[in-house]
C-alpha cells in the first residue's frame, strides 16, 4: 500500500479536499479518511489470517508505518489486538465475519 492521503487523492482527481469529502460522503456514507482506514483494516484482517508475517510487516503492507498505531486502531475497531485476532481466528476465519467495517 502506498502512503495515500486525502490531499493526494483530491489532487489526483483534480478537485479540492472539500469537494472530495462531499462526493465521498454522498456515495459511501463516510469521509475518504474513514473509508481508507476501514479498507486498510479489513485488508489487514485478511493478511493476518493468510500468512505468518510479523504484525509490523502487515501494518506496513496495508499502509501504516507505525505498528504501534496500527495495533491501537485495530484493537479499537475490532476489540482485539492483531496478534489476538490472528491466534483466535486463524483456524476459524468465519468466526469473526461480522466484525468487518462496512465499506
Amino acid at each position: 500500500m502506498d502512503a495515500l492521503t486525502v490531499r493526494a487523492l483530491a489532487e489526483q482527481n483534480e478537485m479540492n479536499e472539500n469537494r472530495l469529502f462531499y462526493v465521498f460522503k454522498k456515495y459511501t456514507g463516510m469521509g475518504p479518511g474513514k473509508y481508507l482506514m476501514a479498507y486498510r483494516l479489513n485488508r489487514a484482517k485478511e493478511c493476518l489470517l493468510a500468512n505468518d508475517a510479523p504484525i509490523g510487516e502487515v501494518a506496513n503492507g496495508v499502509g501504516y508505518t507505525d505498528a504501534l498505531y496500527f495495533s491501537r486502531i485495530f484493537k479499537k475497531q475490532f476489540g482485539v489486538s492483531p496478534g489476538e485476532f490472528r491466534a483466535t481466528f486463524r483456524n476459524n476465519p468465519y468466526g469473526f465475519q461480522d466484525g468487518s467495517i462496512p465499506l
Side-chain angles (χ1 to χ4, degrees), residues 17-91:
E17 292 176 53
N18 291 335
R19 178 70 179 159
L20 177 68
F21 185 86
Y22 170 77
V23 171
F24 240 90
K25 183 81 170 172
K26 181 178 179 181
Y27 291 102
T28 66
M30 64 180 80
K34 187 169 182 172
Y35 181 90
L36 183 58
M37 182 194 74
Y39 179 82
R40 287 177 171 170
L41 291 177
N42 287 335
R43 181 74 178 114
K45 281 181 18 181
E46 295 171 10
C47 292
L48 288 167
L49 296 175
N51 62 53
D52 291 325
I55 304 300
E57 280 184 29
V58 171
N60 197 35
V62 296
Y64 291 102
T65 56
D66 184 349
L68 182 60
Y69 175 69
F70 165 74
S71 293
R72 242 184 291 139
I73 63 171
F74 189 96
K75 184 168 185 171
K76 182 178 179 184
Q77 193 64 47
F78 299 118
V80 293
S81 71
E84 291 170 325
F85 176 84
R86 177 184 274 163
T88 304
F89 298 104
R90 184 96 200 241
N91 296 322

